[in-house]
Amino acid sequence: MNAKPKTSQLSAWVDRGVALFCLGTLIPAALAATDQIAYLAPWWMIIVGGGIVLASIGMMIASFVGWQLRSFSLCYVTVVTFGLITWPAAWPADTVATGSPWLWMCLGVASICLAVTTGTGWGFAYAIASGLLFAAVRMTPSGQNASLLGAFQDMIVLVMNASVVIVALGVVSNAFKQLDEAEAASRKEATDAAIEEALLDERHRLDGIVHDEVMTTLVSAAHQNNDPHVAQQAQRAVERLTEAEQPTEARLPVTGDQLTWLVTDVVSALVPQAKFTSQLHNLTVPQPVASTLGMVVREVALNVAKHSGADNVDIRLTSPEPGGLAISITDDGVGFVPEQVPKRRLGLQVSVVYRMWAIGGKAEILSSPGQGTVVNLSWVPSDQPVAEKEQQPRRRRSGRLMLDIPDLSRPLLSRLVWVLVGLQFLLGWTSLDQVTSIWPVFFAQGLAAVATWLTLRHLEKNPMNFRSAVAVIVLLLAVTMIVQAVLPSGHWPGYATWHSNVVMVLLVAVLVRGQERVSWTGVGLFAVISAVWAVTHDMGVGDTLRAGFGPFSWMLVAQLLQSWLIDMGDRLTASRRSSAAANKAIAESFSKLVLRDVWLTQLRAQVGPLLQRIADPDHELTEDERAACLAQESRLRDAMRAGNLVTELTSDAIDVARSRGVDVRLVDSRGTRLPEDVRTALTRHLGRLLTEPGTKRVVARAAPEGYEDVVTVLTVRDDGSSELVGLDASGRVSTR
C-alpha cells in the first residue's frame, strides 16, 4: 500500500524563519546605510531600497497566510541584484565611499531565499556570482576603492556565510521532513495497532456468539432430526446475529486510511495477489457509506476470484475531488461482455450497481473478452459541510524545551559552528595590518576557541550548564575588550572586528541551548562595551549603531525562531496526546464497522438460509442439508481457529476436499496477520494440494513470530509418502 505523506506543516515554519531572516536583515542594513543614503541617487533608493522592504514584508505575510514564497523571493533576488549592478551608477563619480556598500548584507539573504524556494544549487551559484560581482564593485570609488585583498575577503565572507546558512537550512528542512514522515508513520502504526486490538476484542465477542449459538445449532441439527429445542436454538441464533448487526453507539466517520485498510482486508481474503495503491488524503466518509463500499468491493473481488482467472489485480483508491473518492479494480483475466450477463445473475447488478446507487454513488463495469475487466466505483457526498477550523487553546509553557528533531546531527551542527568561528579567525589574520598589535589578537582567538568548546560541549544536554554559559559570556566579553583595545580610531577597521561575528554565533548557540537570560545579558553587555568603544574611537553614527546593536538584531531573530520551534514542540506534543486519546475510540468504532457490517453480513449470507430452515419447526432437514450443517460448522471452526490460513476460496476447496475424505487440519499459532505475500503463496499451494487426487491428509500451521518459516504445510498421500513445505516471510516455498 502506498500512502503519500501530506505536506509537512513544519516546512511552513522554515518559510517563516527565512521570511523573518529577510525582515531582520533590514535592521543592520539600515544601520549600515545611515552614512551612505545621502550619496545615493533618489531613484536608486526608491527602486532598490523600497523594493527590498516591500519584498521582505511580502515574504513575511505570505509565510503566515500559506502562500508560496517563490514569487516574493525572486522579486527580492531581482531587486538586490539590480541594486548591486547599478550601485556605481547611483553613487557620485567624484566621491570615494568611506565604507563597504550596505547592500552586502542583502546578498547573502538573497542566496538563502533562492536556495529555499528554488533549490540549493541555485542558492550556491548565486552566492558565488554575487560574491564576484560585489568584489568588483568594492574596487570602484563607490565601493571604497578596496584593494584586491579586501575585495577577495569580502567575496569569501559572502560565499562562505551564505553557504553555511544554506547547508544549515538544508539540514533542518530535511530533518523537519523526516520528522513529519516519522510522525505520520508513528500515527499510522498506533492507529493500526489500536484497530488490530479492537478488532481482536470485537472478534472474540462475536466468536462467542458464533460458537455458542450458530455452531452448536448446526451440529445439533445435523444429529437430531425434528427436535423442537433445536428449532428454538436456531431461532435464537438468528436473533443474536441480528442483534449483533445493530449499532449501539454513535458511528464515527471513517478516515481514508481506515477505508484503505477495509478494502485491503476484504479483497486480500479473496484475491491474495492483489496490489493496492492508496492516495486518500484528509478524507472522511460516513460509516454506512464505508460499510457499503466494503461489501461492494468484496463482491467485485469474489467475481474476480471465481470467474476471471486473473494473475494480476490492481486496486487503486483516490480522491479526485474534495470529499469524494474513487475505487478502481483492474484485472487481466478472461473478461466478458457485460451486456450479455443474464439478468438472473444478480451479483453485479444488485451487489454492485444497486448498492452504489443506494449510497448516491456510481458503478461502471468495463470489460471485453480477453481484455480483462475494470470496475470503477465513485462516491461524492451530497452535501459537503464546511469543517470548523480547529481552535488552538492557549497553553502555558512549562519549560523552554526545544523540538526534538530526529536525525539532526549534533556533530554536523558543531562542525558548522566551528567553521563559522574558524572563518572569522581567518579574517582576523588577513586584517592584522589594521590593528596596533597582533599578539592580543591571537590571545583573543585562543579565548574564543575555549568559549566555542564550552558552548558546544555536551550538546546532548539541554539546557546547557549554567556555569558553562556564564563562563562563555565572560570569555566573549574578554575577547571583545582585548580586540577593541588594539583597533584604530577614526574609521571602521573592517574585518579586524572579526570578534563581533564570533560573539554573535556563540551567543545564539547559548540561547538555543536553553540559557536565554544568560545570552541576553551577554548581548546587552556586548552592546554597551562596543558602543563605548565606537564613541571613544571617533566612529560615525552608523558605525556606532552597527557595533553596538548588530548582534542584538540577530539575537532577536534567533529568539523568535526558537520561540516558534518551542511552539511547534508544544503543538506536536498536544497532537500526539490528542491522537492517542482518539485512536481507541476510532479503532473501536471501526472494528465494529468491519465485523458488524462486513464480516457479519458475510456470515449471514453463508449460514442464514440454513438457520432459517432449521428454525422452521415444520421443515424436516434432508440428508444434504445435514451434511451442509456439518460442512458449515467445520468452515466456521476453521475461520475461528485459523483465520490467518484460510480465505473464502480456500474454504470452498477445503469443503470439497473434506467431502472426498481428505483430512484437513489448520493450526494458527501466530498472533499477528500473515504478510500478504505469504497469504498469496499459501492460497495457491493449498488450492493445488486440495485438488490433487492422491492427497490424503493436509496439515497447515502458522508459526509464532520469529520463526524462519512463517507457515509450514505437511501433505500425506495415499501411497504413504509425505512432503513438508515451508513458506518464508517473502512467500518463497521450500521443500524439506
Side-chain angles (χ1 to χ4, degrees):
M1 185 190 312
N2 298 325
K4 183 180 178 181
K6 65 180 182 179
T7 303
S8 172
Q9 294 180 350
L10 297 178
S11 63
W13 292 90
V14 175
D15 291 343
R16 293 175 187 175
V18 172
L20 181 63
F21 192 59
C22 294
L23 200 61
T25 305
L26 295 178
I27 300 174
L31 295 177
T34 54
D35 295 332
Q36 300 176 350
I37 292 178
Y39 297 95
L40 293 168
W43 63 267
W44 189 93
M45 285 301 303
I46 293 174
I47 295 175
V48 178
I52 291 174
V53 172
L54 291 177
S56 300
I57 296 175
M59 274 192 282
M60 178 58 68
I61 296 174
S63 68
F64 275 94
V65 299
W67 297 343
Q68 294 291 326
L69 295 188
R70 183 180 176 87
S71 298
F72 291 100
S73 173
L74 293 178
C75 180
Y76 186 95
V77 172
T78 301
V79 171
V80 171
T81 305
F82 173 80
L84 181 60
I85 294 173
T86 58
W87 177 277
W91 191 270
D94 57 347
T95 304
V96 177
T98 59
S100 176
W102 63 265
L103 201 62
W104 72 269
M105 299 184 182
C106 301
L107 294 175
V109 176
S111 302
I112 295 167
C113 289
L114 206 59
V116 171
T117 58
T118 307
T120 55
W122 287 100
F124 284 125
Y126 183 84
I128 295 173
S130 62
L132 290 170
L133 182 58
F134 184 75
V137 171
R138 282 284 280 137
M139 290 187 288
T140 66
S142 62
Q144 203 182 6
N145 278 334
S147 64
L148 181 61
L149 175 60
F152 179 75
Q153 288 175 328
D154 289 342
M155 183 192 71
I156 292 297
V157 170
L158 280 175
V159 174
M160 287 299 297
N161 284 350
S163 299
V164 169
V165 176
I166 289 172
V167 171
L169 281 176
V171 171
V172 173
S173 298
N174 184 61
F176 280 175
K177 180 181 178 181
Q178 293 179 4
L179 175 63
D180 191 52
E181 293 175 352
E183 283 297 314
S186 177
R187 286 194 298 269
K188 185 179 185 306
E189 289 176 1
T191 300
D192 289 347
I195 288 175
E196 292 286 354
E197 182 179 358
L199 284 173
L200 184 61
D201 293 341
E202 185 71 4
R203 187 61 186 258
H204 285 164
R205 186 182 72 84
L206 295 181
D207 280 349
I209 298 175
V210 172
H211 180 273
D212 297 342
E213 305 291 347
V214 178
M215 295 172 62
T216 302
T217 299
L218 293 174
V219 173
S220 298
H223 295 93
Q224 302 178 34
N225 191 19
N226 290 339
D227 188 333
H229 296 292
V230 175
Q232 294 175 3
Q233 188 175 354
Q235 183 60 41
R236 186 168 58 252
V238 172
E239 294 172 354
R240 290 296 303 278
L241 289 178
T242 303
E243 292 174 1
E245 283 189 289
Q246 300 302 316
T248 58
E249 69 291 307
R251 293 191 165 194
L252 298 175
V254 175
T255 66
D257 287 341
Q258 293 169 345
L259 183 61
T260 301
W261 194 99
L262 173 60
V263 170
T264 303
D265 184 73
V266 298
V267 172
S268 297
L270 296 166
V271 189
Q273 71 270 28
K275 304 298 181 184
F276 300 87
T277 302
S278 177
Q279 296 177 345
L280 300 182
H281 308 307
N282 301 322
L283 175 72
T284 59
V285 299
Q287 279 207 11
V289 172
S291 172
T292 299
L293 287 170
M295 297 176 190
V296 169
V297 170
R298 180 184 176 278
E299 187 64 33
V300 174
L302 188 60
N303 276 274
V304 171
K306 287 184 176 180
H307 307 298
S308 75
D311 293 324
N312 300 294
V313 180
D314 294 319
I315 316 293
R316 185 176 180 83
L317 297 91
T318 58
S319 181
E321 55 185 289
L325 64 90
I327 303 176
S328 176
I329 305 170
T330 306
D331 69 68
D332 60 354
V334 297
F336 64 99
V337 180
E339 294 77 12
Q340 295 181 1
V341 176
K343 295 300 181 181
R344 64 178 180 274
R345 288 268 306 277
L346 300 179
L348 290 176
Q349 191 69 17
V350 175
S351 298
V352 176
V353 178
Y354 288 170
R355 276 179 170 167
M356 290 301 297
W357 285 353
I359 60 173
K362 294 189 300 183
E364 180 185 32
I365 302 171
L366 307 174
S367 185
S368 60
Q371 300 299 317
T373 302
V374 178
V375 178
N376 294 318
L377 310 175
S378 60
W379 176 83
V380 178
S382 57
D383 54 343
Q384 187 72 12
V386 178
E388 295 184 3
K389 190 173 181 179
E390 182 180 356
Q391 298 294 325
Q392 293 291 343
R394 293 181 178 270
R395 298 181 303 278
R396 184 179 63 184
R397 287 196 181 98
S398 56
R400 306 287 294 178
L401 296 179
M402 288 292 292
L403 179 64
D404 183 19
I405 302 175
D407 296 333
L408 188 55
S409 172
R410 292 185 177 91
L412 176 58
L413 294 179
S414 177
R415 285 193 291 269
L416 287 174
V417 173
W418 276 113
V419 167
L420 284 172
V421 173
L423 175 62
Q424 303 309 316
F425 287 177
L426 177 62
L427 293 176
W429 300 339
T430 60
S431 304
L432 292 176
D433 59 328
Q434 296 290 324
V435 299
T436 58
S437 177
I438 64 174
W439 295 111
V441 174
F442 291 109
F443 179 67
Q445 289 184 350
L447 294 180
V450 175
T452 305
W453 174 77
L454 283 174
T455 303
L456 301 178
R457 187 179 62 163
H458 302 312
L459 277 177
E460 70 280 0
K461 296 181 180 179
N462 194 39
M464 70 181 295
N465 182 270
F466 175 77
R467 293 182 179 178
S468 297
V470 172
V472 170
I473 302 304
V474 171
L475 287 171
L476 292 179
L477 295 178
V479 168
T480 300
M481 290 185 287
I482 292 172
V483 173
Q484 290 177 352
V486 296
L487 293 178
S489 300
H491 68 277
W492 185 258
Y495 293 118
T497 59
W498 56 268
H499 69 286
S500 179
N501 287 331
V502 173
V503 171
M504 178 187 70
V505 170
L506 296 185
L507 286 179
V508 168
V510 172
L511 171 74
V512 170
R513 295 203 57 193
Q515 293 293 350
E516 297 181 16
R517 294 181 180 178
V518 175
S519 60
W520 276 107
T521 300
V523 79
L525 293 174
F526 173 81
V528 171
I529 294 173
S530 298
V532 170
W533 165 79
V535 171
T536 57
H537 284 67
D538 300 324
M539 298 294 171
V541 176
D543 289 337
T544 301
L545 292 175
R546 178 167 56 170
F549 297 100
F552 177 84
S553 63
W554 292 110
M555 279 286 293
L556 181 60
V557 172
Q559 177 72 75
L560 291 175
L561 285 174
Q562 174 169 271
S563 297
W564 282 346
L565 285 171
I566 292 173
D567 187 60
M568 274 195 293
D570 289 347
R571 295 188 182 193
L572 194 57
T573 300
S575 175
R576 287 169 178 167
R577 291 173 180 171
S578 176
S579 177
N583 267 341
K584 185 175 182 180
I586 294 174
E588 289 176 352
S589 178
F590 180 66
S591 69
K592 290 179 173 59
L593 159 73
V594 174
L595 290 164
R596 183 184 291 144
D597 293 348
V598 179
W599 293 349
L600 279 177
T601 299
Q602 176 184 346
L603 176 63
R604 283 171 61 84
Q606 291 176 353
V607 302
L610 192 55
L611 287 176
Q612 292 288 356
R613 289 195 293 271
I614 298 172
D616 185 358
D618 298 327
H619 178 76
E620 183 175 351
L621 295 178
T622 65
E623 290 298 325
D624 289 340
E625 288 174 333
R626 288 195 186 122
C629 286
L630 293 178
Q632 287 290 353
E633 192 274 340
S634 297
R635 191 180 187 115
L636 292 175
R637 188 189 317 115
D638 289 340
M640 185 179 298
R641 295 181 178 178
N644 244 335
L645 298 173
V646 295
T647 65
E648 188 168 349
L649 298 180
T650 307
S651 295
D652 292 339
I654 291 174
D655 290 345
V656 174
R658 283 174 174 161
S659 68
R660 300 198 327 263
V662 179
D663 181 13
V664 181
R665 299 185 183 183
L666 306 174
V667 181
D668 188 358
S669 301
R670 187 178 179 87
T672 57
R673 184 184 178 90
L674 284 177
E676 293 303 326
D677 291 339
V678 178
R679 288 169 62 88
T680 300
L682 178 63
T683 299
R684 292 175 177 172
H685 188 65
L686 283 179
R688 179 179 61 82
L689 291 178
L690 295 173
T691 55
E692 288 181 352
T695 302
K696 179 180 180 181
R697 183 184 183 189
V698 175
V699 180
R701 175 178 179 266
E705 288 81 352
Y707 280 72
E708 181 179 353
D709 288 334
V710 179
V711 176
T712 56
V713 181
L714 174 65
T715 306
V716 180
R717 295 181 173 82
D718 291 336
D719 59 4
S721 62
S722 63
E723 179 186 61
L724 180 62
V725 169
L727 283 73
D728 64 13
S730 301
R732 290 190 294 267
V733 179
S734 59
T735 303
R736 304 293 176 84

